[in-house]
Amino acid sequence: SDIKLIPGKEWPTAGSIQFNHVYLSYRPGLPYVLKDLDIFVKPSEKIGICGRTGAGKSTIMTALYRLSEISSGTVSIDGINISEIGLFELRSKLSIIPQDPVLFKGTIRTNLDPFNELSDDKLNDALRRSGLIENSNVEGGTEGTNGDEIEKGNTNKFNLDSLVEDEGDNFSLGERQLIALARALVRDSKILIMDEATSSVDYETDFKIQETIKNEFSHCTILCIAHRLKTILNYDRILVLDKGEVSEFDTPI
């Protein structure tokens, strides 16, 4: 039957993730990229994922978003098999900050809230919590984030009506990642996926982002593919993948 299970509006309420003996290959006949992946992520747990190139780190995200269907096994969120629900119901409940975030032509407001459902206060709050603007910037001050005077024209680079060019070409990759972080804050999902999300920012900004994540996403389940090991040292557990298999899965210390 084509009829899909429709989870409740509040789903997922806890944010647990279960990979049950999952195998995945990108096409029939190709080698498995995930082999017998069998892990359980507890609600609100912060998991760092690391491994060599080709170990299958990003394929975990592919399986969660059902960009490729798994070959065998099951993936469940809060006990619901995600292959039994519609793609919109599934993907609208997940937030991702990818390595190269996609921005759409328009304004920062339309990128954060494309369906015009939220107040300016909430959107500005997300920009502030993501570190894109300081309190003084919202009120028209001229203090920069490092305390230096900046030109008045740059003060509002990240206001809600700032123009976004095609694919966000008028912002650096690091700035696009911060906008994606603000977008995740606005969506208030129970599950946040970070695919080397801080790979293009300096250590100071990376530290700020990790602090924001620690404070603002404490109620979320987080899966973070690490670009820098330092990024995930404070996470609850580290998943080490090797050629698509679980090599280690335990606390960092």
Side-chain angles (χ1 to χ4, degrees):
S1 166
D2 290 329
I3 297 173
K4 293 282 186 182
L5 177 69
I6 300 175
K9 193 176 179 186
E10 300 302 313
W11 177 87
T13 52
S16 67
I17 303 169
Q18 170 89 55
F19 282 81
N20 184 30
H21 299 290
V22 169
Y23 287 80
L24 184 149
S25 68
Y26 282 108
R27 275 207 318 274
L30 287 180
Y32 288 120
V33 192
L34 294 178
K35 302 173 201 165
D36 199 26
L37 187 69
D38 193 50
I39 58 171
F40 179 70
V41 178
K42 295 182 282 227
S44 303
E45 199 173 16
K46 315 295 184 263
I47 304 294
I49 303 172
C50 57
R52 299 181 66 148
T53 301
K57 303 184 297 294
S58 292
T59 309
I60 287 180
M61 312 311 167
T62 300
L64 264 179
Y65 268 89
R66 289 179 55 201
L67 299 172
S68 287
E69 296 294 353
I70 60 178
S71 309
S72 65
T74 56
V75 181
S76 304
I77 295 175
D78 279 7
I80 291 182
N81 184 341
I82 64 170
S83 67
E84 295 178 1
I85 63 177
L87 290 176
F88 176 79
E89 281 79 11
L90 170 65
R91 293 173 183 172
S92 64
K93 298 294 185 167
L94 305 173
S95 283
I96 187 166
I97 305 174
Q99 193 168 2
D100 191 3
V102 175
L103 297 183
F104 303 100
K105 188 170 183 178
T107 61
I108 286 181
R109 178 187 275 103
T110 57
N111 272 273
L112 296 183
D113 181 27
F115 302 110
N116 201 23
E117 296 170 333
L118 302 168
S119 68
D120 284 9
D121 283 349
K122 180 155 187 178
L123 298 178
N124 273 319
D125 187 49
L127 289 178
R128 189 162 48 246
R129 285 155 61 201
S130 68
L132 278 166
I133 57 176
E134 297 284 299
N135 286 322
S136 57
N137 289 18
V138 182
E139 294 153 14
T142 56
E143 282 280 304
T145 52
N146 58 1
D148 298 326
E149 283 289 309
I150 56 175
E151 291 179 26
K152 203 163 185 75
N154 291 335
T155 304
N156 294 322
K157 180 176 182 183
F158 295 106
N159 70 42
L160 295 176
D161 296 319
S162 298
L163 291 178
V164 178
E165 293 177 5
D166 270 335
E167 298 181 9
D169 282 345
N170 53 327
F171 297 110
S172 71
L173 186 48
E175 288 170 338
R176 294 205 299 275
Q177 287 176 329
L178 289 171
I179 293 171
L181 177 63
R183 187 156 55 193
L185 283 164
V186 163
R187 293 187 66 177
D188 201 23
S189 303
K190 285 297 291 182
I191 295 175
L192 173 66
I193 297 156
M194 300 176 65
D195 189 354
E196 304 204 22
T198 56
S199 58
S200 301
V201 298
D202 55 60
Y203 279 103
E204 188 183 344
T205 308
D206 188 3
F207 177 76
K208 271 188 184 175
I209 291 174
Q210 293 307 323
E211 284 295 298
T212 300
I213 289 162
K214 192 162 72 177
N215 297 330
E216 306 292 345
F217 294 98
S218 57
H219 64 293
C220 288
T221 304
I222 296 178
L223 300 181
C224 176
I225 293 176
H227 180 72
R228 302 172 178 134
L229 287 178
K230 194 176 174 183
T231 303
I232 56 169
L233 280 178
N234 294 322
Y235 279 50
D236 298 321
R237 286 192 287 169
I238 309 293
L239 172 64
V240 182
L241 291 175
D242 183 28
K243 296 177 183 169
E245 299 179 274
V246 176
S247 175
E248 297 175 74
F249 190 32
D250 211 338
T251 54
I253 298 164

